[in-house]
């Protein structure tokens, strides 16, 4: 694989540009919505009307700019902010600058197609034959979003494994095992799925057992259909059918026309009689594939995941239980005559985790992570760099608000020795800091919000007005206690406030219903300010996410034994907003299993 077109120096220059932009605009992203009215946030940072902001953001900066001679009469600005007052006075300039400092605007990302082509070209040059796999559609047992993610990422992971000549994959933060199961069933890879939640690993193991059963029935039926097609059609007819999507495989998936289930499929379908009705809400459009999907699930899947607990906080009994479970799974896997190739393991993983303590059969492998939360994503990259047996990495992170920051001025976030941000030495030398609210803003989905999805304005408005009430009538409005999600249960603003006061254990008799409603009426006329301000946050979101991901890419570029690294857009951002993967490959000469 040829090195990416962007050198370390070029990445650092782009990081500098993004940091310069955020140094002017980050105050907006770090403003807390809860304090929007108590701290008069709009007047502090914005000198234009809410209508002006909503118009500029909504138009995507397609509006006609004012003539130069008219704009020259305004105070000088930097990215739309007045150089004197530091308030926003030119929204269109800000929107345009935000586009230019996002990952698409910087032009640093590689397309998924280009990455796959590069991996395949290298494989062709080395004479490695193209591996063929049996068709297995994830739409059969996943939601459309998860199916899109798993299909897109698994093809990349399989190509990375073939490029590196390895057969093992380590899926960190594997969750319910969707990616792991698909990689093992579709590409015949040996996958170890590691998750800190025993609920997740138990559910993944049960699901994988049923999926294997379904896969056998599916492949048996497919093989029979193909044999029949080959016996009844000429090669020319078969070619036409494949091009038009009318072959036997498509009939199995579409449900069109008569269909006879095999005995194995009947057993799989009848095994779903004890499925929890709550699962029915995830039905797909096709009734046949719905039935197959439900049959592949276990009741464990819908149980809430237990929180990640560091090993130091586990009891001796719990550590022993987890160790015993892992050993039992390994023994069962080796003894399984069906040749199971997916092994779910329960473990809390950090950059210091010794993989051989978890996987006795460890060989050279590809490490992957699909939407690994918070610090787990940078830990995955640190493990890739530190472990000689890891040949490649494909990491898609999420939950940026859960990242710990090394240079937090309050010193509250990074309680451990190794923090999630910054990762690169380049940004560590600059003591780079974002802030939790800014990282929370980075989780917003610009593409979805542009289509009217993603922000529940009324709940944010209720919480901000509640904060005013707490300030005016209760001395403990800065309490450590959290209001929680009372909005979803509230029937009105008055009901919301009373539920919140009870949650905070405050005396609700201080306020009558009319007093509470008066607050709502007073601030309702200023709700557009909050809406416009949150749209500014959404506009800045791709830039903050870009800085976090460029930091991770820069970290890989700094490593001498990493021969290739890139940011690759794997997913459609409308389906999966956290759509960027950090990809890395090591030099062959530097990779030897210890």
């Amino acid at each position: 694989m040829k090195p990416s077109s962007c050198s370390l120096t070029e990445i650092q220059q782009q990081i500098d540009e993004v940091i310069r932009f955020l140094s002017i605009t980050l105050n907006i992203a770090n403003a807390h919505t809860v304090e929007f009215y108590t701290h008069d946030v709009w007047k502090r940072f914005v000198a234009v009307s809410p209508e002006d902001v909503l118009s500029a953001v909504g138009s995507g900066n397609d509006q006609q700019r004012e003539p130069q001679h008219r704009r020259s009469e305004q105070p000088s600005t930097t990215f739309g902010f007045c150089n004197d007052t530091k308030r926003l006075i030119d929204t269109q300039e800000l929107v345009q600058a935000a586009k230019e400092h996002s990952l698409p605007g910087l032009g640093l990302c590689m397309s998924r197609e280009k990455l796959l082509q590069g991996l395949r070209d290298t494989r062709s040059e080395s004479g490695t034959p193209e591996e063929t796999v049996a068709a297995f559609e994830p739409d059969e047992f996943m939601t459309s979003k998860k199916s899109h993610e798993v299909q897109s990422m698994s093809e990349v992971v399989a190509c990375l494994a073939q490029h590196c000549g390895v057969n093992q994959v380590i899926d960190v933060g594997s969750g319910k095992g969707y990616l792991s199961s698909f990689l093992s069933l579709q590409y015949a890879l040996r996958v170890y799925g590691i998750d800190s939640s025993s609920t997740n690993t138990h559910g993944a193991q049960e699901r994988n057992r049923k999926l294997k059963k379904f896969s056998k029935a599916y492949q048996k039926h497919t093989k029979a259909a193909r044999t029949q097609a080959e016996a009844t059609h000429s090669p020319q007819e078969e070619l036409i059918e494949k091009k038009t999507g009318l072959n036997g495989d498509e009939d199995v998936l579409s449900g069109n026309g008569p269909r006879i289930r095999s005995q194995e499929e009947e057993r799989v379908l009848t095994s779903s009689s004890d499925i929890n009705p709550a699962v029915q809400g995830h039905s797909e459009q096709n009734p046949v594939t719905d039935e197959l999907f439900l049959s592949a699930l276990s009741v464990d899947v819908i149980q809430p995941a237990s929180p990640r607990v560091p090993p130091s906080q586990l009891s001796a009994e719990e550590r022993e239980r987890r160790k015993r479970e892992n050993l039992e799974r390994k023994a069962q896997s080796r003894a399984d005559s069906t040749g199971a190739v997916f092994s779910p393991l329960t473990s809390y993983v950090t950059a210091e985790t010794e993989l051989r303590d978890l996987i006795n059969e460890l060989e050279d492998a590809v490490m992957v992570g699909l939407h690994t939360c918070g610090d787990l994503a940078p830990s995955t990259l640190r493990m890739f760099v530190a472990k000689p047996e890891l040949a490649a990495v494909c990491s898609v992170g999420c939950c940026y608000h859960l990242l710990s920051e090394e240079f937090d001025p309050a010193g509250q976030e990074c309680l451990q020795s190794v923090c999630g941000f910054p990762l690169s030495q380049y940004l560590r030398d600059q003591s780079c800091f974002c802030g939790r609210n800014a990282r929370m803003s980075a989780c917003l989905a610009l593409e979805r919000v542009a289509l009217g999805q993603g922000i529940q304005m009324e709940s944010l408005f209720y919480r901000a007005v509640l904060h005013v009430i707490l300030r005016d009538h209760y001395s403990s409005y800065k309490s450590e206690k959290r209001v929680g999600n009372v909005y979803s249960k509230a029937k009105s603003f008055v009901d919301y406030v009373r539920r919140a006061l009870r949650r905070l254990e405050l005396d609700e008799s201080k306020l009558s219903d009319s007093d509470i409603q008066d607050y709502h009426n007073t601030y309702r006329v200023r709700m557009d300010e909050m809406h416009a301000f949150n749209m500014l946050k959404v506009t800045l979101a791709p830039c903050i996410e870009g800085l976090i991901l460029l930091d991770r890419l820069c970290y890989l570029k700094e490593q001498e034994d990493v021969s290739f690294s890139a940011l690759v857009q794997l997913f459609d951002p409308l389906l999966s907003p956290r759509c960027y993967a950090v990809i890395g490959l090591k030099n062959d000469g530097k990779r030897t299993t210890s």
Side-chain angles (χ1 to χ4, degrees):
M1 187 80 182
K2 296 178 181 178
S4 63
S5 57
C6 296
S7 66
L8 173 60
T9 300
E10 290 171 321
I11 296 296
Q12 292 172 343
Q13 289 173 347
Q14 298 285 27
I15 286 176
D16 290 343
E17 288 298 314
V18 176
I19 289 178
R20 177 172 173 267
F21 172 72
L22 292 177
S23 69
I24 304 296
T25 61
L26 202 61
N27 283 336
I28 285 183
N30 268 320
H32 206 306
T33 306
V34 168
E35 301 169 339
F36 189 78
Y37 296 120
T38 56
H39 288 187
D40 210 358
V41 169
W42 182 263
K43 290 184 179 179
R44 283 176 59 197
F45 297 115
V46 185
V48 296
S49 68
E51 293 77 17
D52 179 79
V53 171
L54 293 172
S55 175
V57 173
S59 67
N61 204 45
D62 293 332
Q63 291 181 329
Q64 191 73 29
R65 296 282 289 168
E66 290 184 80
Q68 180 65 39
H69 70 277
R70 291 185 59 184
R71 285 188 283 120
S72 63
E73 299 172 1
Q74 296 180 357
S76 60
T77 61
T78 303
F79 304 129
F81 287 80
C82 177
N83 291 333
D84 296 328
T85 65
K86 310 303 180 185
R87 297 170 70 195
L88 178 65
I89 62 175
D90 192 334
T91 311
Q92 292 180 49
E93 183 182 351
L94 172 62
V95 172
Q96 181 60 37
K99 284 185 175 182
E100 294 171 354
H101 291 84
S102 66
L103 287 178
L106 294 172
L108 292 176
C109 292
M110 176 182 287
S111 70
R112 176 177 173 274
E113 291 71 24
K114 184 176 179 180
L115 173 70
L116 290 173
Q117 188 60 52
L119 292 170
R120 287 165 180 158
D121 288 347
T122 305
R123 186 172 58 217
S124 299
E125 292 172 3
S126 64
T128 306
E130 186 84 18
E131 182 176 349
T132 58
V133 292
F136 184 42
E137 296 295 333
D139 286 339
E140 302 278 348
F141 57 93
M142 300 179 197
T143 63
S144 58
K145 175 182 181 293
K146 184 57 68 176
S147 172
H148 170 67
E149 294 167 351
V150 167
Q151 285 189 93
S152 298
M153 188 166 181
S154 62
E155 185 178 7
V156 170
V157 174
C159 281
L160 287 171
Q162 290 184 18
H163 172 85
C164 298
V166 304
N167 192 50
Q168 285 191 1
V169 174
I170 301 174
D171 185 3
V172 179
S174 55
K176 297 175 181 177
Y178 288 113
L179 178 65
S180 296
S181 293
F182 191 73
L183 283 169
S184 64
L185 291 172
Q186 177 77 349
Y187 294 99
L189 292 166
R190 179 66 172 171
V191 185
Y192 295 92
I194 304 175
D195 197 272
S196 64
S197 167
S198 59
T199 300
N200 278 343
T201 50
H202 288 160
Q205 189 174 35
E206 176 64 14
R207 179 192 293 102
N208 189 64
R209 181 186 66 81
K210 292 188 176 183
L211 288 177
K212 283 172 61 183
K213 192 174 181 180
F214 162 71
S215 177
K216 290 180 181 178
Y218 176 86
Q219 293 178 20
K220 181 177 180 181
H221 182 92
T222 300
K223 183 178 180 180
R226 285 177 176 169
T227 302
Q228 183 178 3
E230 291 172 357
T232 56
H233 298 306
S234 67
Q236 291 82 359
E237 289 173 330
E238 186 176 353
L239 179 61
I240 293 173
E241 286 184 341
K242 287 183 177 179
K243 288 186 176 180
T244 56
L246 299 176
N247 59 10
D249 292 354
E250 291 297 320
D251 289 339
V252 173
L253 296 178
S254 67
N256 296 327
R259 183 182 188 280
I260 300 176
R261 298 191 186 102
S262 68
Q263 291 183 353
E264 284 206 56
E265 287 178 289
E266 290 290 351
R267 288 197 295 270
V268 173
L269 293 175
T270 56
S271 69
S272 64
S273 58
D274 60 344
I275 295 300
N276 192 309
V279 180
Q280 303 289 341
H282 295 288
S283 62
E284 302 289 328
Q285 295 178 355
N286 191 320
V288 175
T289 56
D290 285 354
E291 195 173 15
L292 296 175
F293 166 56
L294 292 175
S295 72
L297 293 176
S298 101
V299 177
D300 291 339
V301 171
I302 62 173
Q303 294 178 353
S306 57
R308 299 175 70 223
V309 181
S312 59
Q313 297 180 17
L314 292 174
S315 64
E317 293 78 9
E318 175 64 13
R319 286 197 297 270
E320 185 62 27
R321 185 186 67 81
R322 291 190 177 189
K323 181 178 179 180
R324 184 173 63 254
E325 286 180 351
N326 286 337
L327 291 174
E328 288 172 354
R329 289 195 191 95
K330 293 175 186 176
Q332 181 181 357
S333 176
R334 285 191 293 268
D336 189 355
S337 61
T338 62
V341 288
F342 169 41
S343 302
L345 306 171
T346 303
S347 179
Y348 182 89
V349 178
T350 68
E352 290 76 30
T353 298
E354 285 297 334
L355 296 176
R356 291 195 176 279
D357 292 343
L358 300 175
I359 306 170
N360 291 333
E361 306 86 352
L362 182 65
E363 301 172 358
D364 285 356
V366 176
M367 176 162 278
V368 303
L370 174 55
H371 291 153
T372 46
C373 292
D375 286 348
L376 186 54
S379 290
T380 300
L381 299 179
R382 285 191 173 104
M383 277 191 283
F384 164 67
V385 170
K387 312 298 182 186
E389 57 268 20
L390 297 179
V393 66
C394 179
S395 170
V396 181
C398 69
C399 302
Y400 301 128
H401 60 293
L402 297 179
L403 278 172
S404 60
E405 293 202 57
E406 181 176 358
F407 301 103
D408 177 16
Q412 297 177 348
E413 292 190 344
C414 191
L415 301 179
Q416 60 265 28
S417 59
V418 180
C419 295
F421 181 86
L423 186 61
S424 68
Q425 191 61 47
Y426 186 69
L427 282 182
R428 292 185 69 203
D429 289 342
Q430 300 182 46
S431 302
C432 186
F433 173 74
C434 282
R436 187 178 188 277
N437 289 334
R439 287 183 278 107
M440 182 77 78
S441 297
C443 297
L444 296 171
L446 176 62
E447 291 81 5
R448 286 185 174 180
V449 174
L451 295 180
Q453 309 171 17
I455 296 184
Q456 298 293 329
M457 280 308 307
E458 188 174 63
S459 64
L460 296 175
F461 172 72
Y462 276 18
R463 183 61 184 88
V465 178
L466 171 66
H467 208 60
V468 177
I469 294 174
L470 295 176
R471 179 197 63 185
D472 292 350
H473 297 277
Y474 301 91
S475 59
S476 59
Y477 80 101
K478 292 185 178 180
S479 170
E480 293 298 320
K481 296 179 182 178
R482 295 184 177 275
V483 173
N485 185 25
V486 300
Y487 173 80
S488 61
K489 303 174 183 178
K491 300 177 181 178
S492 65
F493 178 72
V494 173
D495 185 33
Y496 170 85
V497 172
R498 296 214 174 278
R499 286 175 180 269
L501 293 176
R502 288 194 292 270
R503 178 70 65 86
L504 297 172
E505 299 179 353
L506 297 174
D507 182 10
E508 60 178 300
S509 65
K510 284 186 176 183
L511 298 169
S512 66
D513 287 356
S514 61
D515 291 335
I516 295 173
Q517 189 62 39
D518 284 345
Y519 275 95
H520 177 276
N521 297 340
T522 298
Y523 286 94
R524 181 73 185 185
V525 296
R526 295 181 57 189
M527 190 172 177
D528 280 350
E529 294 178 0
M530 176 175 284
H531 184 197
F533 197 83
N534 276 285
M535 291 306 294
L536 290 177
K537 285 191 169 190
V538 171
T539 301
L540 296 175
C543 308
I544 304 168
E545 179 182 34
L547 178 62
I548 294 171
L549 295 180
L550 286 174
D551 171 55
R552 295 174 184 178
L553 177 60
C554 185
Y555 171 75
L556 292 186
K557 295 285 184 186
E558 292 171 344
Q559 312 306 316
E560 293 184 358
D561 60 341
V562 175
S563 60
F564 170 84
S565 56
L567 284 176
V568 180
Q569 182 176 331
L570 290 188
F571 312 136
D572 180 345
L574 282 175
L575 286 174
S576 183
R578 306 282 75 80
C579 60
Y580 295 103
V582 180
I583 306 286
L585 288 165
K586 283 182 183 171
N587 298 316
D588 291 338
K590 296 288 185 178
R591 179 169 52 82
T592 55
T593 303
S594 302

